[in-house]
Each structure stands twice: as C-alpha cells, then as structure tokens.
Amino acid sequence: MSSAEQKMQFIFRLRQQGILDDRVLKAMEAVDRGLFITGTFAERAYDDMPLPIPCGQTISQPSVVARMTQALNVGPRDTVLEVGTGSGYQAAVLSHLARRVYTVDRHRRLVEEATRRFQALDLSNVTAMTSDGSRGLPAVAPFDRILVTAAAEDPPGTLLAQLREGGTMVVPVGQSHSVQRLIKAVRGPQGVEYEELGDVRFVPLVEGLGHDEI
C-alpha cells in the first residue's frame, strides 16, 4: 500500500471514530506520525495503537490524539500548553491549529529529540522545555488551552490556575492504569465545569524531573 493510500485510510478511520472537525483532520493529515517513531515500530506508524518510545513512555494512538485535540477546540489565536511532550507528535498536531504551543516534559532526552523533529519540520511556533509538568509554566501563563497527556488522580489545580477564563483543559483522570476517564474542564466566571469524554489509558503524571534512560 502506498503512503497516500495509508494516509487516506488513516483519515477515514478517524472520521469513523467521530473526528469530524475539518481543522483537526487536516492537522492530523499534515503530520506524519512515522517521523515520530523510530526503530522496529516505525512500520506501524499508521496503526491506531499506542507505541513505545524511550524513557518508558508511549506515543498515543492517533484516534486518542485526534479526540483530545478535537475536545480542546483550539483556535488560531490560542496559546496552548501541553504537559507531556513525549515524541512531540501531539505538539506537532497542535502547532497546525494554535498561534503558539509550549510543551514540557520531565525527560530531557525526549525534549531534545522532539525539538530536533520540530526544527526539521520547521514548526517555529512550538517551544519544548524540560520541566516538571505538574507545575505547568507559570511564567508564561495564562493559557487559552491546556492539554495533559498523562493521567492525574484529579484535575490538577496548579494547571487549572494557569488557565485563562473561558479556557479549556483536557486531561486523563484516574488512580490506576485500568480505570481512567478523559475530562474536559472549562474555566468560567463562576468556576470550572467538567465533562467526561470517555475511557482512556495513559502513563501517570509524575512530579519532578526524570532520570533519563540511555
């Protein structure tokens, strides 16, 4: 199967799973997931499944990336914070939708590798930093949108405090790998309103900086 045929099937599967936002579909189509996966798993880049990346982390399955991106409802003037850079794939998708993307990860190795990918793709509106994601980026806040790609026990108050009024945060919430719910939090004038978006499975949100594996 040619690359073009793979991509057509890829987008068709996303539509089948309820991803109907044209801007999100175009962003997913514009970013080649294969560029964010190395080694023996690269040939499975267009499969709808999570795949391992260094430092014990994973690259999320495309349908989950698309679902979280669609729920975030990013506008072209928005500034977005992503907590959990990983391979950089999700941030690259967001870069096609937002004015500015800040992405942080506790593993320096992942940030360095993702930064090289962003540079190779000329994604000049993405800034990646090694940082404790549970603390957010208070120096840059407030954000219009916050996307967390690791599961917290509860919607993190530190991150919600960095969300602009009218802003949206999407975060997996759950105390175990087996039971997690994707939560959409919208900060309004009277407080934060929450909406459940279905089951997911993510690595846990961990405080502090990582000790990178070689």
Side-chain angles (χ1 to χ4, degrees), residues 81-98:
L81 171 65
E82 181 199 25
V83 176
T85 308
S87 68
Y89 177 60
Q90 174 73 79
V93 172
L94 292 170
S95 76
H96 289 270
L97 300 167

Side-chain angles (χ1 to χ4, degrees), residues 133-203:
S134 67
R135 298 177 181 270
L137 274 181
V140 185
F143 297 96
D144 301 295
R145 301 289 187 268
I146 298 177
L147 184 64
V148 186
T149 60
E153 291 189 6
D154 297 290
T158 302
L159 298 180
L160 285 170
Q162 295 177 33
L163 192 62
R164 192 186 306 278
E165 186 174 310
T168 299
M169 179 168 76
V170 173
V171 54
V173 172
Q175 297 185 354
S176 72
H177 282 292
S178 58
V179 182
Q180 295 175 4
R181 302 287 287 173
L182 191 62
I183 302 294
K184 178 179 179 178
V186 178
R187 186 173 187 179
Q190 307 302 320
V192 180
E193 295 186 0
Y194 298 95
E195 178 185 354
E196 288 195 5
L197 302 176
D199 296 336
V200 288
R201 182 175 294 184
F202 280 85
V203 296

Side-chain angles (χ1 to χ4, degrees), residues 102-150:
Y102 293 90
T103 179
V104 298
D105 201 289
R106 61 194 297 268
H107 295 285
R108 184 176 303 277
R109 174 182 174 183
L110 295 181
V111 169
E112 290 174 348
E113 291 179 358
T115 297
R116 286 194 289 271
R117 292 178 178 123
F118 300 148
Q119 291 170 345
L121 293 169
D122 197 25
L123 301 180
S124 58
N125 64 336
V126 183
T127 300
M129 289 175 272
T130 306
S131 179
D132 179 352
S134 67
R135 298 177 181 270
L137 274 181
V140 185
F143 297 96
D144 301 295
R145 301 289 187 268
I146 298 177
L147 184 64
V148 186
T149 60

